[in-house]
Each structure stands twice: as structure tokens, then as C-alpha cells.
């Protein structure tokens, strides 16, 4: 379904995110017929160049990152939508030109793909030059602050010129197909929800494992670490979608209210409930200290934690979270381990094992439900656990390659004015309020992160978190 006619201004249009994600994503939506041919995409950045030069730059980025041939006629049609204004975010240059380009009647969106330090300058100039009004929307990217104070300051800066309903804070995990599917699985089936609580669920494991290291972005990452880079945002969002109460409606504020309640109910982390790791050189591969170019760094490239949610639904059911770079495989999944049946009627049949529901987010999106059955054969009643395995690709006859990627979907949601998959200001602040003490405690300590080998499952110490509770991490593969 095509969206309404729009003007999208991309601040930071010559940057990495615009090249890799925003422009290729818009191109794909254009090819899918979702973008009206009258819409305009206006790049804005410091570089002095004209529309033609920007179109050439965009064509190169789109060819590289959307895998499209430079002579594809659809690319030429898309490039016609593009324009460029050289702008000085901290000065007066270019703003009148920008005002002249943005149409009154169309949906107006302004994508701040720039360092957060510039948010205030840009917001102020958009307002002072009369480019925006109460219908305009702005899109901002993570990192949204680096702690509670800076996030509050950013929220306050934006709030000077925009209402909350105009601000779209991107967490690209929320745009992933399977992440949204979590809500469909939970709230469109009767099967799971009655069991979705501490009475029936033993524990939950959320894993986001990556094979990439931090080479090439070490200077950003070293000031961030896994907690700021992944836990405060992406992992927290996954946790919320799994743990939240059913919203009364699939509506932006109803969903975000429920997520916020989960974050507020998180218990402060005990010092023994967290393990930090750092990948080390193994002869062939460089280690974190090489990649980050900081030989003294204590920044974690891996973190595992045991999280408790202090409310009726989850009292006594821990959530174990882990994420890291340079691990054995790229895999993101959520595993829900149910409790064992209270009583077994089968003597000598082997103990029934707990049911487990694994939702694979990427790659090979799908669901796997482990159930007990009778082992086939003449040997009498013997129990065996088998997977009811469903790959969404097989079930739906698509491998997902035709699905919009997270950025495409989220940008189209901005144009549609749907904030459901964007973080509200209070959510972001609550998430920082929970992670701040964890980060502070580490900074105050003199400890070093646990080393782990590149290509492994993470530090040995992380096993302890589970073993002491008589549980085990699922294998990363
Ligand atoms: C980003 C982080 O937000 O998410 C990166 O800054 C991380 O460090 C990335 O690699 C993971 O996203 P995806 O979509 O590849 O799982």
C-alpha cells in the first residue's frame, strides 16, 4: 500500500547510515511501489555539492548496498526524487534554501542521521526558519544519550521544538519482522498466554550473538561497550516484548505503556549477576584491544546477566540475557523453558523433560517447540523429546528476502505516522535509569573483563551464572 506523498529531509545524508541503510531502504520501498513518484528525498549535509553530485553519490551507495545494477532504469527513476542542500547545522547557511524545497501540503519528515550533539542545533534552526510546524515529524537514531542525564537532556532539547507525537526514536530491532512476530505469537494465539508466567515458565534466555568484531568502529564502541550498545536498547526491547502484559490494543501508547512498566519493574542487578567479557587475539584473529586500538581498554564486548522482574507475572522466573561480538555464530533467539510436569505417570519411561519454545529472530527465522512423545518402537513406553520445528521460510513459502528490512519498515511507519515501533522518551530514560548503576559499578571497580577466544561461545565465567542455578545456556550455533 503506497504511503502518502511526502518530503523526507535526511540530515547527515553523506554519512555511513544514509549510504548503507536509509537510501538503499528507500530505494527498495520505491521499487515495491510504496513511495509516490511525487515524493521528495532531500539530502542535507555540510559537503558543498549540487543535486547531481548527490544523486551520483546515492546511486553508488544504492548499487553497493541494495545490490542493484547502476543501469537499472528503476534506479534512475528513484534518483529523480532526490535533491540536496548544503547546510551548516551550527550556522545560518542553507536553511532558507531548505525551506524553499520543503512543500507545505506533503507529509514532512526530518531524519537526524547525525551526532546527537547536533540534535539541538538542527531542531532549533528548523523551528526558527519556520521549516517545521506541529505536523512535521523528526526521526532520531541511537545512541540516544550515554546515560540517564544525557538522555534527559536530549529529550528536553527536542521537546523545546517538538511534541512527543512528532518524535520517532529508532531502535532498529523493533523494525525486524520476527521481533514484531513476538507480539503476534503471544497475543494472537490462545496457546501460549495462559502459560506465560512464573507458574509455568522456569526461565527465559535471550541471546544476541554476533560474529563480527569492532574493527573499523572501535573508537565509538570503546566508549560504549555491549551494555550501552546492545543491552540498554535492543536487548531491553526484546525483554519487554516477551515480558509485558497484553496491551489493550495494538496502539502506540498502549504498547509503549506496557513496555515501560516492564522496565520500571526490573530489579537492580546484583554484582554477582553479571559477567563481562572481551575477545582476545588467537594468533590468526586480532583481539578486542587491537580492534579498539586501545591497549588499556576494559570495555566489554560481551555481557551476560541474570535479570529479575519484580511483578506478579514474573516473580521467581529469571531472564538470562547475553550478547557479544566475535562469537561462534550469528544468532539471535529467545528461548522459553517451561517447568517440568508436576507428576509423571510413566514409570521407567525416562523423566519427562521440560517443554521449550525457541523463537529464532535471525537468521532462519522460525519457532521450535520441544515436546515429549513416545519413542517409536516395541520397547514399551519410553519418552523422547522431539522438536516441532517451523521455519517461517518453509511455512510461508518465502525466505524473507522480499521482506522490507528494519529501516525500510520504520521509515515507512514514520510517513504513516505510526509510532508503535518507536521508543518513547520515558522508555529510553527508564532503560538508562536501570543500566546506569550497572555501568557506574563497573567503572568504579578495578576489575578486568573476562577474556574469551574469538569464535567461542563467550567467557567461561558466563557458565557460572547458569550453573549455580542448575541451568545451562543454550548452545550458540
Ligand atoms: C547496532 C549496534 O545497533 O546493532 C551494533 O551498534 C550491532 O554493534 C548491531 O552489531 C546489530 O544489529 P543486527 O541488525 O545486525 O542484529
Amino acid at each position: 500500500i503506497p504511503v502518502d506523498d511526502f518530503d523526507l529531509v535526511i540530515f547527515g545524508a553523506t554519512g555511513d547510515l544514509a549510504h548503507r541503510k536509509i537510501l538503499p531502504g528507500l530505494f527498495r520501498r520505491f521499487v515495491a511501489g510504496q513511495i509516490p513518484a511525487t515524493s521528495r528525498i532531500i539530502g542535507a549535509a555540510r559537503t558543498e555539492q549540487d543535486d547531481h553530485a548527490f544523486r551520483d553519490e546515492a546511486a553508488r551507495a544504492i548499487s553497493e548496498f541494495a545490490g542493484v545494477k547502476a543501469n537499472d532504469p528503476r534506479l534512475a527513476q528513484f534518483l529523480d526524487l532526490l535533491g540536496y542542500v548544503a547546510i551548516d547545522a551550527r550556522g545560518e547557511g542553507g536553511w532558507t534554501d531548505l525551506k524553499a524545497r520543503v512543500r507545505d501540503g506533503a507529509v514532512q519528515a526530518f531524519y537526524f542521521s547525525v551526532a546527537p550533539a547536533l540534535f539541538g542545533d538542527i531542531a532549533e534552526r528548523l523551528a526558527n526558519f519556520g521549516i517545521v510546524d506541529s505536523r512535521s515529524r523528526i526521526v532520531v537514531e541511537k545512541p540516544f544519550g550515554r546515560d540517564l542525564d544525557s538522555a534527559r537532556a536530549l529529550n528536553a532539547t527536542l521537546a523545546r521544538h517538538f511534541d512527543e507525537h512528532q518524535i520517532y526514536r529508532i531502535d532498529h530491532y523493533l523494525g525486524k519482522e520476527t521481533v514484531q512476530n513476538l507480539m503476534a505469537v503471544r497475543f494472537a494465539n490462545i496457546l501460549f498466554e495462559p502459560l506465560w508466567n512464573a507458574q509455568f515458565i522456569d526461565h527465559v534466555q535471550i541471546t544476541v550473538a554476533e560474529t563480527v568484531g569492532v574493527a573499523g568502529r572501535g573508537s565509538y564502541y570503546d566508549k560504549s561497550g555491549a551494555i550501552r550498545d546492545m543491552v540498554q536498547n535492543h536487548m531491553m526491547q526484546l525483554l519487554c516484548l516477551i515480558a509485558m502484559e497484553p496491551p489493550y490494543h495494538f496502539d502506540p501508547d498502549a504498547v509503549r505503556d506496557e513496555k515501560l512498566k516492564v522496565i520500571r519493574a526490573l530489579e537492580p542487578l546484583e554484582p554477582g549477576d553479571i559477567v563481562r567479557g572481551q575477545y582476545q587475539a588467537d594468533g590468526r584473529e586480532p583481539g578486542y584491544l587491537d580492534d579498539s586500538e586501545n591497549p588499556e581498554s576494559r570495555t566489554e564486548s560481551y555481557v551476560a546477566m541474570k535479570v529479575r522482574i519484580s511483578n506478579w507475572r514474573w516473580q521467581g522466573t529469571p531472564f538470562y540475557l547475553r550478547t557479544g561480538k566475535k562469537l561462534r555464530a550469528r544468532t539471535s533467539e529467545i528461548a522459553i523453558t517451561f517447568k517440568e510436569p508436576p507428576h509423571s505417570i510413566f514409570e521407567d519411561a525416562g523423566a519427562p523433560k521440560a517443554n521449550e519454545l525457541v523463537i529464532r529472530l535471525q537468521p532462519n527465522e522460525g519457532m521450535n517447540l520441544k515436546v515429549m512423545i513416545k519413542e517409536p518402537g516395541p520397547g514399551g513406553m519410553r519418552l523422547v523429546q522431539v522438536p516441532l520445528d517451523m521455519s517461517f521460510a518453509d511455512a510461508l513459502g518465502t525466505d524473507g528476502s522480499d521482506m522490507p528490512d528494519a529501516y525500510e519498515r520504520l521509515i515507512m511507519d514514520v510517513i504513516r505516522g505510526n509510532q508503535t515501533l518507536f521508543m518513547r522518551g520515558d522508555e529510553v530514560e527508564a532503560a538508562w535509569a536501570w543500566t546506569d548503576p550497572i555501568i557506574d559499578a563497573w567503572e568504579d571497580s578495578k576489575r578486568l573483563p573476562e577474556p574469551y577466544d574469538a569464535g567461542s561461545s563467550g567467557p567461561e565465567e558466563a557458565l557460572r551464572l547458569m550453573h549455580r542455578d542448575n541451568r545451562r545456556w543454550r548452545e550458540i550455533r
Side-chain angles (χ1 to χ4, degrees):
I1 310 168
V3 295
D4 290 342
D5 189 19
F6 67 85
D7 284 352
L8 172 67
V9 177
I10 309 170
F11 294 104
T14 54
D16 198 52
L17 184 74
H19 284 176
R20 277 175 193 276
K21 295 286 182 186
I22 306 175
L23 290 166
L26 286 164
F27 170 70
R28 278 192 290 261
R29 288 301 89 208
F30 178 75
V31 170
Q34 238 181 337
I35 298 189
T38 45
S39 291
R40 297 200 199 147
I41 296 161
I42 303 157
R46 216 168 19 190
T47 311
E48 291 287 345
Q49 61 179 352
D50 61 10
D51 290 352
H52 293 291
F54 179 61
R55 286 178 190 163
D56 290 345
E57 174 182 336
R60 283 192 298 275
I62 294 167
S63 311
E64 182 174 354
F65 296 110
V68 58
K69 295 221 170 60
N71 59 1
D72 188 320
R74 295 169 305 178
L75 182 56
Q77 287 164 13
F78 175 74
L79 294 176
D80 276 347
L81 273 49
L82 266 52
Y84 184 84
V85 180
I87 218 144
D88 179 1
R90 296 211 153 122
E92 309 306 304
W95 294 94
T96 328
D97 188 9
L98 182 63
K99 181 174 166 62
R101 298 252 191 155
V102 178
R103 294 169 297 164
D104 246 358
V107 173
Q108 297 173 359
F110 299 84
Y111 201 129
F112 291 22
S113 178
V114 295
L118 292 176
F119 287 2
D121 295 305
I122 294 177
E124 195 178 321
R125 282 168 181 72
L126 282 172
N128 292 351
F129 281 86
I131 304 171
V132 287
D133 62 25
S134 61
R135 292 163 307 166
S136 315
R137 294 160 199 168
I138 62 166
V139 186
V140 295
E141 272 290 333
K142 84 171 248 271
F144 199 83
R146 55 177 286 107
D147 53 21
L148 178 57
D149 286 347
S150 52
R152 274 195 182 134
L154 276 180
N155 275 334
T157 301
L158 297 180
R160 276 203 288 281
H161 304 288
F162 299 97
D163 283 344
E164 184 62 34
H165 76 266
Q166 298 178 275
I167 306 173
Y168 290 73
R169 293 179 195 78
I170 288 201
D171 181 314
H172 80 280
Y173 265 58
L174 289 176
K176 288 182 191 271
E177 186 70 22
T178 32
V179 173
Q180 293 169 69
N181 210 5
L182 289 175
M183 283 187 277
V185 167
R186 280 195 62 194
F187 303 129
N189 294 288
I190 191 76
L191 215 54
F192 303 115
E193 203 49 31
L195 303 181
W196 212 261
N197 57 53
Q199 194 184 344
F200 297 105
I201 295 184
D202 177 72
H203 74 281
V204 176
Q205 293 186 25
I206 304 180
T207 302
V208 177
E210 298 184 277
T211 49
V212 292
V214 304
R217 62 201 285 261
S219 61
Y220 151 76
Y221 192 90
D222 202 50
K223 290 190 209 71
S224 174
I227 298 181
R228 287 194 174 97
D229 186 52
M230 295 294 289
V231 176
Q232 186 272 344
N233 37 71
H234 309 323
M235 302 289 280
M236 197 70 89
Q237 291 296 325
L238 297 179
L239 173 72
C240 285
L241 296 179
I242 290 294
M244 71 184 185
E245 296 300 313
Y248 69 90
H249 192 241
F250 190 53
D251 152 279
D253 278 327
V255 171
R256 298 186 298 178
D257 286 346
E258 296 308 334
K259 288 197 295 170
L260 179 63
K261 287 185 208 160
V262 174
I263 305 176
R264 290 201 169 140
L266 295 177
E267 285 183 22
L269 212 66
E270 302 280 334
D273 285 345
I274 175 163
V275 174
R276 290 173 173 80
Q278 198 181 65
Y279 62 86
Q280 57 183 358
D282 70 352
R284 285 168 305 135
E285 298 253 0
Y288 179 83
L289 300 179
D290 307 308
D291 284 348
S292 68
E293 295 175 19
N294 175 4
E296 309 268 283
S297 178
R298 294 199 305 138
T299 301
E300 76 283 356
S301 60
Y302 173 101
V303 66
M305 45 173 75
K306 175 181 180 179
V307 176
R308 296 181 185 81
I309 303 175
S310 206
N311 64 16
W312 273 47
R313 186 187 281 263
W314 295 116
Q315 198 52 249
T317 295
F319 286 66
Y320 299 91
L321 273 46
R322 64 180 162 163
T323 181
K325 306 272 183 207
K326 285 265 176 138
L327 294 175
R328 177 173 298 153
R330 175 172 189 255
T331 177
S332 301
E333 61 166 41
I334 295 167
I336 291 134
T337 303
F338 291 88
K339 293 195 168 160
E340 285 169 11
H343 165 72
S344 174
I345 64 167
F346 305 110
E347 263 178 46
D348 305 328
K353 285 195 189 143
N355 296 122
E356 195 177 43
L357 174 68
V358 181
I359 303 170
R360 289 190 307 272
L361 304 177
Q362 62 188 27
N364 310 325
E365 290 86 344
M367 277 181 12
N368 179 322
L369 179 64
K370 295 208 184 116
V371 294
M372 300 301 294
I373 61 162
K374 175 186 174 299
E375 192 172 272
M381 179 57 83
R382 299 285 312 162
L383 297 176
V384 62
Q385 193 173 50
V386 293
L388 285 178
D389 207 356
M390 185 178 82
S391 123
F392 294 153
D394 292 345
L396 303 173
T398 159
D399 65 359
S401 55
D402 51 345
M403 296 283 170
D405 100 332
Y407 276 92
E408 296 171 45
R409 179 187 313 274
L410 293 173
I411 297 171
M412 291 299 99
D413 277 359
V414 173
I415 306 300
R416 288 198 193 90
N418 185 346
Q419 288 187 305
T420 311
L421 301 177
F422 297 83
M423 291 181 298
R424 212 167 51 192
D426 50 4
E427 242 184 289
V428 177
E429 290 183 13
W432 282 121
W434 185 73
T435 43
D436 269 4
I438 305 174
I439 295 169
D440 291 347
W442 176 252
E443 284 174 358
D444 291 345
S445 84
K446 295 275 170 295
R447 294 187 58 177
L448 294 176
E450 308 291 330
Y452 64 94
D453 291 337
S456 71
S457 302
E460 291 283 312
E461 262 304 281
L463 303 179
R464 176 186 53 84
L465 261 187
M466 283 289 190
H467 286 173
R468 62 167 200 210
D469 294 346
N470 282 324
R471 297 184 176 113
R472 283 193 318 145
W473 288 112
R474 284 171 48 77
E475 240 179 86
I476 294 179
R477 50 191 166 127

